[in-house]
Amino acid sequence: MRSRSISTVATAGLGLALSYGAASAAEPSPEAMVDALAAVFGSHKVRGSHAKGTCTKGKFTPTHEAEALSKASIFTKSGSATVRFSMAGGNPKIPDKAKPAVRGLAVKFDAGKGSTVDLVMISAPVFFARTPEQFVGFLQARIPQLDGKGPDQAKIKAFTEANPETGRQGAWLNSHPVPASYAGVNYWAVHAYTLTSAAATASNVKFKMVPSAEANLTDDEAKAKPNDFYADELKERLAKGPAKFDLLAIHADAADTLDDPTVQWPEDTRKTTKLGTLEVTAIEPDTTCDASTFDPANLVDGIAGPKHDAIFPVRSPAYAVSLTRRAQ
């Protein structure tokens, strides 16, 4: 399932660990973050993360409430969208039925006049790392051992105990069922954003995409599924009609943190505004999605990313490194 042997991956990972350890006072570079993914999953001519996926197209129709919250052009008129569904990790052969793995929904909205807006969302309300250092350390703890027995569980345990926030996403995923479809699960953009209206009113929110109907599998149902059933299920679904999602804005309370994507906001006690409906209409060639990145920092006036979130600003350059490498 990897493009190179376990021993080669582990050796590369050891080199990464040594080079990073020598410069531990510095924030890991975007290259080091992509290297860390390759050390765990192997080098493939695909994305460093969310390597396995399906490209689709659709359209987004905003609500009047959205325009009242944000002057961003995607909230003032309908437009087309490119949508990629995916499985987490850098293994392009990861089984769709894997439980402790997020599903991804990346959307590139047509914002008019040649501009776009990207939302990068996952099927868990939290990210697995608060800082670039935690991102790399989380992966280093999972580098396969030379004996081919997989990662050292003692290292994983020690790292998680020292960085408890890095265990929140895995715990959340393991407590929820395997989705039966890419189109039947909730997705969150784990970072906090600021929406600004034409009247200069600002609202701090997190984005959530809610399917028209959730669909989950029992553990036994998941075990009986083939490893690659999501793409066929989605193709059959779209042949019957669009897969629809509502884009929601979850409003921050005064107590909510705006700079830590490992913290979940309590949605049941937060105000929620429906911003619009995403309709996924048809499968697109993978080349459409692979031609560029889905960059959470690709925004327009009226939507701003978090100012003090340590992970948010490093995602763009890391994605650029991944894009360059897979194009070589």
Side-chain angles (χ1 to χ4, degrees):
M1 294 175 69
R2 298 184 178 93
S3 63
R4 48 183 172 163
S5 67
I6 292 290
S7 61
T8 304
V9 173
T11 302
L14 178 61
L16 168 68
L18 291 174
S19 64
Y20 173 57
S24 57
E27 179 180 287
S29 67
E31 290 80 6
M33 296 174 73
V34 178
D35 287 344
L37 287 162
V40 175
F41 299 108
S43 295
H44 306 277
K45 290 296 183 181
V46 291
R47 286 171 169 79
S49 186
H50 290 268
K52 181 181 184 179
T54 300
C55 189
T56 66
K57 65 179 180 180
K59 64 178 181 179
F60 179 73
T61 305
T63 62
H64 292 301
E65 290 79 8
E67 187 173 359
L69 282 177
S70 173
K71 59 186 175 182
S73 54
I74 65 168
F75 295 135
T76 61
K77 59 182 179 181
S78 300
S80 62
T82 300
V83 183
R84 186 175 188 265
F85 296 94
S86 61
M87 291 290 294
N91 178 10
K93 296 183 179 180
I94 181 175
D96 293 344
K97 57 189 177 183
K99 189 169 188 177
V102 295
R103 281 70 184 162
L105 173 64
V107 186
K108 188 176 291 291
F109 300 89
D110 181 358
K113 298 181 179 180
S115 63
T116 56
V117 169
D118 295 350
L119 281 185
V120 179
M121 314 180 84
I122 58 174
S123 62
V126 292
F127 197 53
F128 70 86
R130 180 176 52 83
T131 65
E133 292 84 354
Q134 283 187 339
F135 182 99
V136 172
F138 178 95
L139 291 166
Q140 286 179 347
R142 288 158 173 80
I143 293 173
Q145 301 176 82
L146 293 175
D147 58 12
K149 294 182 179 179
D152 185 334
Q153 295 302 316
K155 287 185 178 180
I156 294 175
K157 183 175 184 292
F159 180 81
T160 304
E161 288 177 349
N163 301 269
E165 57 267 65
T166 64
R168 292 170 184 165
Q169 185 186 92
W172 194 94
L173 291 167
N174 279 315
S175 67
H176 288 74
V178 172
S181 169
Y182 278 140
V185 61
N186 295 310
Y187 296 93
W188 289 263
V190 294
H191 301 286
Y193 292 79
T194 300
L195 301 182
T196 305
S197 70
T201 301
S203 303
N204 294 317
V205 306
K206 283 190 175 182
F207 295 116
K208 181 179 181 181
M209 202 75 81
V210 178
S212 57
E214 287 190 56
N216 296 307
L217 300 172
T218 66
D219 288 347
D220 288 341
E221 288 172 335
K223 289 178 182 178
K225 287 286 187 180
N227 285 342
D228 305 298
F229 69 95
Y230 277 156
D232 288 341
E233 191 280 338
L234 186 61
K235 184 177 180 179
E236 292 173 5
R237 178 186 291 263
L238 297 182
K240 300 174 184 177
K244 296 182 180 182
F245 294 84
D246 286 338
L247 178 61
L248 307 181
I250 304 166
H251 294 256
D253 186 84
D256 291 326
T257 178
L258 304 179
D259 58 5
D260 187 348
T262 70
V263 175
Q264 181 180 3
W265 292 359
E267 298 174 24
D268 55 343
T269 59
R270 297 293 178 266
K271 176 184 175 183
T272 300
T273 301
K274 180 179 174 180
L275 299 175
T277 299
L278 174 68
E279 295 182 69
V280 180
T281 56
I283 303 293
E284 278 282 283
D286 288 339
T287 52
T288 300
C289 290
D290 293 343
S292 61
T293 64
F294 291 87
D295 181 352
N298 179 37
L299 305 169
V300 294
D301 191 23
I303 312 173
K307 294 180 179 179
H308 305 294
D309 183 329
I311 281 287
F312 187 81
V314 300
R315 295 183 70 167
S316 294
Y319 292 169
V321 169
S322 180
L323 176 63
T324 299
R325 289 185 181 181
R326 72 175 187 260
Q328 291 174 342

